[in-house]
Each structure stands twice: as structure tokens, then as C-alpha cells.
Amino acid sequence: MATAALPAVPAGFTGRDEDLARLFPVLDPAAESDLPVVICAVSGLGGIGKTSLALCAAHRAVRDGWFPGGTLFVDFRGYDEDPVTADQAVVALLDGMGVRGADLPQTTAGQYGLYRRLLAEESRSMLLLLDNASDPGQVMPLVPGTDHHRVLVTSRDRLTELDAQLIDLDVLNAEDATDLISRSLRLSDRSDDRATREPEAVSELVTLCGHHPLALRVTAGMLRKRRHRSVASLVNDLRGAEDWTAAVGLRPIFEAAYQQLPPEQARLLRLLALAPAAEVGSETAAAMTDLGVDQTFDLLEELAAAHLVTPVPGGADVRWRLHDLVRAFGVGVVKVDAELWGEGATARERVLEFYHRWAKAADSWLRWLPGMPAPERFPDRAAALAWLDSERAGLVAAVQWAREERYADTAIRLSQRLAEYLDWRRSFDDKITVCGAAREAAHRAGNQVGEAIAWNSLGIALQETSRAEEAIDAHTRARDLHQMIGDHHREAAALSNLGNALRETGRVEEAIDAHTRARDLFQAVGDRPSEATAWDNLGLALRETGRTGEAINAHTRARDLHQAVGDRHGEARAWNNLGGVLWEAGRVDEAVEACEKALEGLREFEDWYGTGRTLYNLAFAHQHAAHPAEARTCYLQSADAYTRANAPTEAADAQSRADSLT
């Protein structure tokens, strides 16, 4: 149980340089501290490598002569069925200090008294490594009463009751995880170069293990037994395993931790495993539990103290991340119990409704114009965007639940609330995923309106990803469905988008016809903001046919309509398009003025893609007006804006043009 000699550091230990750098200043007996005794408590998920780290740090400290008084090591077996108590540990510690037989006091009080006296009389610094403690009560009675000794504790729980420096240990980074596999193989057989020959398979294996050290060691052991088989073959076998946590040897650890949780914490862990994303906000977690945010937050903090979830600070709402292996374990618990599966399905319905309510409010802010009632829940547009950004992974994943009939209706409605946002952030791959799932679900359910809306949104994303022919098909399907239903307003929207796709493929006359019909339909239903957009799109098509005067008139009409309804962002887009056609007409000064007005509105709305495009047009105008310095500045600013808009191709083009002007 206790020994004066430190156990060896496990073979293959690697990485943890940053964690060791945090440990050493606390262990150094020469370091000053305002605590009565310097204690460091390393905590983390079971199998994360706490003991290995502590032993590595302890051995290096002893090697450097920090603890001439010696070391004492106790394994408290804190998470076994019969953990070591402090009373048992003090006897073992005394034994490690040479007190045994007749010299050992017969009473517990006498034993503690002798233990503390020996430590106080030992003038040379000692290190006490108290490993695998599950409760502060195991450790507190053993803390020396003098400040020249050091205590290093490891635990799966954050021992916040201790006056100690707390160090949370996370999984390895990708490089160190890969190195662990490689070192483990070469320790067994120096000629085993599979890690070098199969870097992609090793990377997949590391990902499957969630960078968890124990899982990596177990899989490395599997590879050593399969000496003449590839790493890829093990990856394939693990991918086919029903329970990854069992396959990589972690299920017993997770099972023990789960069994020790109070009922409400265990329920929350199960529900988090079924959440749409591995990381959720506190309010999303509260929606799953159907408890208040404060109560859910308290439960989340308890799970974080047990290292079953990880808090991710940032913004107004703390987010919580579930490790992939813990998530897999939680799903496994739920799958084998019909009652727990039903509990999880109900929680998913709640989180979908929560997402839809909040996404609806956020979407309303993105479409809000002066004179409209202020949408609920968010104070302004920026807050709405911030929430959508923070929850994007969960929102996109939740829409994919539409493939299950139980969730289909709400997930379809949620997809419609995400379309504008995903366009705004230019997250077109996510939009294709969202719209594809919604379209399939709506078609199965016979929901023609939902299907048509999904086709139309899908077409926009397809065009933006250079799949214009597919976009034409999608918008045509949307138009035909809306026409059949008799929804002329949405028919007009599909026609407007169809016109853009047709123009992209060179079918400009058809595009002009589509935009003209869209404009007329929007006029008929009285939708002035959409009419303005139709005018703007029509101007772009007219410009491509050389009908410059008509294009200038169309963009001017679009600008004036956007101004009339207070749509400053739409007005800025119209100014940009007007600037382009004015330049073609030789009206350079007016073109520059139009672009500058466009920039005002685009920057106000943080439309960085539009800003990059306008600056590019402005740079082009300056370049042809023989103003190279102004052109280069605009190209550089355009590259910066495109970078902020996550448009690397456009950014590289603008940077290249700037470089050509040096």
C-alpha cells in the first residue's frame, strides 16, 4: 500500500511537457508559497495518465536532488469497492518511514501523532505522493504540518476542499498521441515500423481512441499481438465494434464512475450523450433535462469535478464538452434499456423545440427591418448571430434527426430557420447537409411546402459551391412545387434564385425572363424588399447582355426600394452592383462613389464577403484609372475582408493582384 520507493514510470510515457511545466514550480521545495504546505492535486478522467505524470515529475525531482529526506508513495485505490482509508494509510506510511512492530503505537491517535512528529523533525524535504484518492478525507489527515515538505495527490475528482494547486489533466494532443503508439510498438520490437508506414491509419486510430492515453496503450497492445497485421486492419475492426469503450478497455472505468454518480447527475450524463453535438451550452443542457438553467449548471459542475464533462469558457454562456469515449459509453448505457431510450427520445424532442424557438428568434433578427417589431429573446442582431455561431454544430446535427419520423416536423422547421444564417456565414457545406436532410424528410411525409422550401435553399448552396447545373434543377423543382400549391410568393423567390443559377451557366436570356417574372410576382404580393432584390438580380443579368443603360436603371430601382424600406444591407449590395455597371459605362467617378457608399453599409453589417467584393471592384477601378497605390491598398483590404469571410480562394486572388502592383 505504502512504500518509500517510487514505482517506475510506465514504459512508453510521452508528451505532457506543458503539464510537467505546471507541476515542477509547485513541487520545488525552494519555491516560496503563501500556503502552510504546498499541495498539488492532479485530477482527470480515469486512465488519463495522472499517476504516470505524477511519477514522472517525482522521479525527475528526486534525480535533481529536491527531496533528500526521501519519498513516500500510497495508492488509495479510491475507486475500488474497498478503498484505503486515512487510518490504514498512516500505518503504511509509518512502515515506509521504518516504524513497525513494537515501535508502532497501538492507538490511531498515537499513530497520527508519531507520523506528524517524524515529519516535523525531518529537516530535509520529503515528497508524499498520494495516488488515486477519491475523497479529501483520505488525504487531509496525512498532510504534514510543516511547509518544507511537498504533497502530490492524484484523483479522478477535483479535490476542491484541499488548499492545493489544482491541475486538470486532459487527453493528449494529436502529436503526442501518435508518438505514444509509435513508441509502444518500438519498445516491443525495434523493427516495428508500422506507425511510420501507415501514418493515416495511426491518425485514424488516435482519433478513434479520442487521444485518451489508456485507450491508446490498450490499442498499442492489440497491435503488438497482431505483429504481422496492418494498423488499418485494427482500425477497421474497432470501427465495426458495437461498443468502442469496451473495445479499447475503458468501459470498466466509465462504468465505475457512472455507478458512483447521484441519480440526477447520472441522468444528465446519459442525456448529454444523446445531445446533437459533443459540446453544448448550459441552456441547451437545461432544455434536455427539463430543469432550470441554474439547477442544470450545478449538475454540470459536479460532472466536471468528476471529469466526465469539460467546461469550455467563452462568451456569456459556459459550454460543456463530452469526450467522445464518454459519449459512446453513455449511448451504450441508453441503448440497452428501453425506458432510458424513451427518456432520451423525449429529451431530444425538448432540445429540438428549444433550438427551433431560439433559431426562429435569431432568424427574425437577421431579416429584421426598421418599422418591424423587435424579435424576442435576443437584444440585437449581433447577439442573435453570436448564439447561432456558438450552437451551429448542434443545430446542424439536430436537423439531421429529421430522418427519424418522431423528430421530422420540428427538424424541418428548424432547417428553414437556419437558411439565412448559413448563407450569411457562407457555411454552404453545412447548408447542403441541412437542406438535404429536410428535403428527404419532407418528401417522405408528403409535406410539399417543406420540400419546396428545402429545394430552394439547397439550390442556393449548390450554386455557391460551383454546382450551378444542380442548382438549376433544385430551383426548378422548388418553383414547380410552389406553383402547383399556388404559393406565388415563394414561387417568386424560387424564380429569383433560378435566374441567378441560369446566369451562372450562361443562359442569360432565360435568367432575365426568370428575374422579370419574379419581380412582377413580388410586386403583385406587395413584398417590396424582395422586389428590390429581384430588380438587383435583373440588373446583373442585363449587364451581361451589354444592356448597360437598363442595368443601371435596374440597380438604381433596387437601391431606391431598399432605401424606402430601410434595408441598409440590401441598399449596400445594390450600390456595389450599381458601381460595377457605372464603371463599364465609363462613369468612373460615379462608380467609385457608389462603391464607397456600398462599403459603408457592408461594413456596418460585418458582411465581409460583400466588403471584399466591393473593395476588389474599387481596386479594379483605381487600377484602370492609373492609380496603382490606391488600387494596391484596396486589393490588400479586399484580401483581408475575404479572409474574414472564410473565402480563401478570393483572398488569394486579391493578394496576388496586390503583389503584382508592388
Side-chain angles (χ1 to χ4, degrees):
M1 184 197 306
T3 176
L6 293 171
V9 179
F13 177 82
T14 187
R16 300 300 190 192
D17 290 343
E18 292 183 6
D19 299 303
L20 287 167
R22 288 191 290 166
L23 258 178
F24 286 136
V26 186
L27 290 183
D28 186 354
E32 295 184 1
S33 172
D34 55 2
L35 295 176
V37 61
V38 175
I39 310 171
C40 184
V42 178
S43 60
L45 192 64
I48 205 75
K50 303 178 292 297
T51 300
S52 297
L53 175 71
L55 287 171
C56 179
H59 277 285
R60 291 190 189 181
V62 169
R63 180 197 63 192
D64 292 343
W66 285 7
F67 299 109
T71 60
L72 292 170
F73 175 88
V74 181
D75 180 359
F76 281 97
R77 303 196 303 270
Y79 300 91
D80 292 355
E81 291 184 4
D82 186 23
V84 174
T85 66
D87 292 351
Q88 292 171 321
V90 74
V91 174
L93 285 165
L94 284 169
D95 184 82
M97 298 167 80
V99 179
R100 56 183 68 94
D103 295 330
L104 181 68
Q106 296 302 301
T107 66
T108 300
Q111 292 162 4
Y112 278 114
L114 177 60
Y115 168 74
R116 294 191 183 99
R117 180 168 61 80
L118 290 174
L119 286 176
E121 291 174 352
E122 176 57 73
S123 60
R124 298 170 302 170
S125 297
M126 294 182 66
L127 173 66
L128 279 70
L129 204 170
L130 309 180
D131 187 41
N132 205 18
S134 60
D135 188 284
Q138 290 175 295
V139 174
M140 285 178 173
L142 305 174
V143 173
T146 176
D147 62 2
H148 65 281
H149 300 310
R150 295 295 180 263
V151 180
L152 180 55
V153 184
T154 72
S155 177
R156 294 181 192 176
D157 298 286
R158 296 190 94 236
L159 302 179
T160 52
E161 295 87 345
L162 293 177
D163 290 328
Q165 177 75 48
L166 302 179
I167 294 180
D168 295 327
L169 204 58
D170 205 345
V171 295
L172 296 171
N173 62 38
E175 182 179 353
D176 288 338
T178 300
D179 187 49
L180 190 154
I181 294 288
S182 178
R183 287 167 63 92
S184 296
L185 294 181
R186 287 186 286 107
L187 278 170
S188 174
D189 181 348
R190 289 186 177 275
S191 66
D192 191 339
D193 62 348
R194 282 177 291 175
T196 303
R197 287 189 285 109
E198 299 181 72
E200 292 183 2
V202 172
S203 178
E204 285 189 68
L205 184 62
V206 163
T207 301
L208 273 173
C209 291
H211 299 189
H212 191 290
L214 180 57
L216 291 164
R217 292 184 188 281
V218 170
T219 52
M222 293 178 182
L223 286 171
R224 288 196 293 267
K225 290 180 180 178
R226 303 157 61 118
R227 177 63 184 89
H228 301 291
R229 298 173 65 182
S230 67
V231 178
S233 70
L234 178 59
V235 170
N236 291 333
D237 288 349
L238 289 176
R239 286 200 181 280
E242 186 173 345
D243 185 348
W244 286 4
T245 60
V248 298
L250 291 180
R251 185 172 181 84
I253 292 174
F254 294 157
E255 187 72 47
Y258 174 72
Q259 293 296 338
Q260 291 176 3
L261 292 175
E264 285 294 333
Q265 291 181 39
R267 174 176 178 266
L268 176 54
L269 185 68
R270 293 193 302 269
L271 297 182
L272 289 176
L274 300 177
E279 187 179 299
V280 299
S282 302
E283 291 174 325
T284 306
M288 294 203 77
T289 62
D290 203 24
L291 300 173
V293 174
D294 290 344
Q295 185 178 354
T296 303
F297 196 96
D298 290 342
L299 293 171
L300 286 163
E301 285 192 313
E302 293 294 336
L303 289 176
H307 292 280
L308 292 169
V309 300
T310 302
V312 184
D317 183 24
V318 177
R319 300 185 64 74
W320 306 87
R321 177 168 53 84
L322 203 64
H323 190 279
D324 288 347
L325 293 172
V326 177
R327 184 181 176 91
F329 167 77
V331 171
V333 169
V334 172
K335 284 177 67 175
V336 298
D337 188 310
E339 184 177 345
L340 296 183
W341 187 256
E343 171 191 71
T346 302
R348 282 185 163 187
E349 288 178 338
R350 285 195 300 268
V351 82
L352 260 178
E353 287 290 352
F354 165 80
Y355 271 155
H356 179 257
R357 288 197 309 272
W358 282 70
K360 179 180 179 182
D363 183 49
S364 297
W365 268 112
L366 298 188
R367 301 173 188 272
W368 182 82
L369 295 174
M372 293 182 176
E376 62 169 347
R377 298 185 183 274
F378 299 103
D380 53 32
R381 187 175 186 277
L385 272 172
W387 181 82
L388 288 165
D389 287 341
S390 67
E391 295 289 345
R392 179 169 67 185
L395 290 163
V396 171
V399 170
Q400 294 176 71
W401 293 348
R403 296 187 175 96
E404 299 181 48
E405 185 178 351
R406 178 169 185 163
Y407 312 116
D409 181 63
T410 308
I412 290 167
R413 289 186 285 120
L414 175 60
S415 74
Q416 295 165 8
R417 296 300 180 179
L418 296 179
E420 181 74 9
Y421 163 70
L422 294 173
D423 282 343
W424 186 260
R425 289 301 191 220
R426 300 188 64 76
S427 300
F428 298 118
D429 288 340
D430 279 346
K431 190 172 183 182
I432 289 171
T433 298
V434 163
C435 294
R439 180 190 61 77
E440 292 170 9
H443 181 74
R444 283 196 306 270
N447 180 351
Q448 292 182 321
V449 173
E451 184 182 356
I453 292 172
W455 272 120
N456 196 33
S457 293
L458 179 61
I460 295 172
L462 290 168
Q463 183 180 339
E464 291 287 353
T465 52
S466 302
R467 297 161 65 179
E469 291 293 346
E470 293 175 74
I472 290 172
D473 178 64
H475 291 310
T476 301
R477 288 173 180 267
R479 179 203 63 191
D480 293 346
L481 276 169
H482 285 310
Q483 199 173 64
M484 183 177 65
I485 297 166
D487 187 340
H488 299 305
H489 190 201
R490 289 195 174 106
E491 179 190 349
L495 278 166
S496 190
N497 293 325
L498 175 60
N500 289 334
L502 288 166
R503 178 170 56 83
E504 188 77 17
T505 60
R507 296 159 64 177
V508 184
E509 291 300 333
E510 293 176 75
I512 290 172
D513 179 62
H515 289 312
T516 301
R517 286 195 289 153
R519 177 203 63 191
D520 294 344
L521 283 172
F522 282 132
Q523 285 178 341
V525 299
D527 184 347
R528 298 178 73 197
S530 296
E531 180 192 345
T533 299
W535 273 113
D536 215 19
N537 290 334
L538 177 59
L540 292 171
L542 289 168
R543 176 180 171 184
E544 291 207 10
T545 64
R547 296 152 70 176
T548 305
E550 293 177 71
I552 290 173
N553 177 62
H555 291 310
T556 303
R557 292 286 297 273
R559 179 203 63 190
D560 293 346
L561 273 171
H562 281 306
Q563 280 180 344
V565 298
D567 184 355
R568 296 189 304 278
H569 184 241
E571 179 188 345
R573 291 198 307 265
W575 271 119
N576 172 71
N577 293 331
L578 179 59
V581 73
L582 285 169
W583 182 84
E584 287 190 1
R587 297 157 62 175
V588 177
D589 291 341
E590 292 176 79
V592 170
E593 181 183 0
C595 288
E596 289 173 345
K597 287 185 177 294
L599 285 174
E600 293 176 14
L602 295 168
R603 284 171 170 157
E604 176 188 350
F605 280 83
E606 297 185 352
D607 179 352
W608 301 120
Y609 190 87
T611 298
R613 182 175 53 196
T614 299
L615 283 164
Y616 191 96
N617 292 341
L618 191 56
F620 196 70
H622 280 306
Q623 186 174 359
H624 283 265
H627 302 147
E630 291 89 339
R632 184 172 186 276
T633 297
C634 287
Y635 278 131
L636 289 172
Q637 292 175 344
S638 173
D640 179 63
Y642 276 134
T643 299
R644 296 180 71 174
N646 191 30
T649 302
E650 292 89 337
D653 180 38
Q655 182 67 52
S656 175
R657 287 185 176 271
D659 294 343
S660 71
L661 294 175
T662 54

